Amino acid sequence: IGGNLSTNAGGIHFARYGSIRSNCLGLEVVTAEGDILDMMSCLRKDNAGYDMKQLFIGSEGTLGIITKAEVKLHPHPKSMQLAMLQVSTFADVLKTYACATRLLSECLSAFEVIDAESLTCDTFEGYPFQHKPGTFTILVETHGADSNHDFEKLGNFVQACEDEHIKVIEQQTRKLWKIREDVPVKLAQSGTIYKFDVSFPLHQFYDIVEYVRSAAREERGLPEDEVLIVGYGHFG
């Protein structure tokens, strides 16, 4: 938990639960001089003065070592629904996300995007779509307390996507999530890998991939069959 706090970890369910920063209520930190800073609290709202613990969340241990933490916990959802979609362009990804936030609202727990290049490094068992260059695969998951209500909301979302001619697959949740979780594993198994965890505004989410890909190909002359440049991650 201290490591997660020091890196301000997010994760695949960021859309619903936020980063660990938004779930941290209090900290105890030991500085390099040996001072113990007691910022422990169980209050979600505290307007009394500076919120000093925020300085240490995401500082990766440079300001002090976290020795205690008070963290807000969430009940395990009674209902989990999942759909996988394939869209043709990144503009379609943005439209799908807007549709998901509008129709799924409080139920939306995850919105994961994987570009086609991420899926070319190996065979992904159970991948339901035909591999097409330039496409994007999306995982949309909902968490809630009423499976009938949540399934109906996801069904309305799927129908809206189908009306936009987006391919949708609904399968066993674990099977579809394994495809997403296998992406970094299979990329690492394919050769030397350099990964960067960065954040951008939604409309610029994929611009960095296209920029690096262009620079590598046109400016550096790196061949496509030797150097694979991919992008994947979550919206929130």
Side-chain angles (χ1 to χ4, degrees):
I1 293 177
N4 287 334
L5 285 162
S6 69
T7 56
N8 190 27
I12 57 178
H13 293 114
F14 179 88
R16 176 67 181 272
Y17 305 105
S19 67
I20 198 166
R21 179 190 297 276
S22 59
N23 292 284
C24 179
L25 304 177
L27 290 179
E28 180 187 84
V29 175
V30 178
T31 68
E33 291 78 18
D35 296 324
I36 300 175
L37 306 182
D38 186 350
M39 298 168 284
M40 295 293 288
S41 173
C42 61
L43 301 176
R44 287 188 61 194
K45 180 181 179 182
D46 185 357
N47 295 333
Y50 297 106
D51 190 0
M52 296 296 294
K53 69 178 182 295
Q54 299 297 339
L55 291 174
F56 296 90
I57 300 173
S59 66
E60 300 188 350
T62 57
L63 301 179
I65 303 299
I66 297 171
T67 51
K68 289 182 183 179
E70 188 90 31
V71 180
K72 175 188 174 186
L73 300 180
H74 299 267
H76 193 274
K78 294 181 178 180
S79 166
M80 290 182 285
Q81 314 289 338
L82 182 70
M84 178 176 277
L85 306 84
Q86 186 185 67
V87 300
S88 300
T89 66
F90 188 70
D92 290 331
V93 173
L94 295 177
K95 291 179 183 177
T96 305
Y97 181 67
C99 183
T101 56
R102 184 176 70 253
L103 297 180
L104 300 175
S105 57
E106 81 286 350
C107 292
L108 182 63
S109 66
F111 190 95
E112 287 281 328
V113 180
I114 311 168
D115 69 1
E117 287 74 13
S118 295
L119 301 170
T120 60
C121 64
D122 203 338
T123 301
F124 287 80
E125 182 180 352
Y127 184 69
F129 301 117
Q130 180 181 353
H131 287 280
K132 295 181 180 179
T135 59
F136 294 84
T137 300
I138 303 171
L139 274 169
V140 178
E141 186 178 63
T142 64
H143 284 177
D146 186 326
S147 58
N148 293 329
H149 168 266
D150 298 341
F151 187 77
E152 181 180 355
K153 294 197 75 166
L154 186 66
N156 292 336
F157 166 71
V158 168
Q159 182 62 53
C161 291
E162 289 176 340
D163 289 345
E164 294 289 335
H165 308 293
I166 295 172
K167 296 180 180 179
V168 181
I169 293 291
E170 294 179 85
Q171 290 182 359
Q172 185 178 357
T173 297
R174 183 65 246 158
K175 188 176 181 181
L176 292 181
W177 267 124
K178 190 174 187 307
I179 295 172
R180 163 61 180 89
E181 292 165 354
D182 279 350
V183 168
V185 176
K186 291 183 180 293
L187 286 171
Q189 292 173 344
S190 299
T192 303
I193 185 170
Y194 296 92
K195 294 194 294 184
F196 300 92
D197 188 353
V198 293
S199 300
F200 287 93
L202 292 182
H203 68 282
Q204 296 177 325
F205 181 90
Y206 203 65
D207 288 354
I208 185 62
V209 179
E210 295 176 332
Y211 174 81
V212 173
R213 192 175 286 156
S214 174
R217 304 286 184 252
E218 299 174 11
E219 298 178 19
R220 299 294 180 179
L222 300 177
E224 292 186 26
D225 58 345
E226 293 183 16
V227 179
L228 189 65
I229 299 169
V230 307
Y232 60 90
H234 52 264
F235 280 24

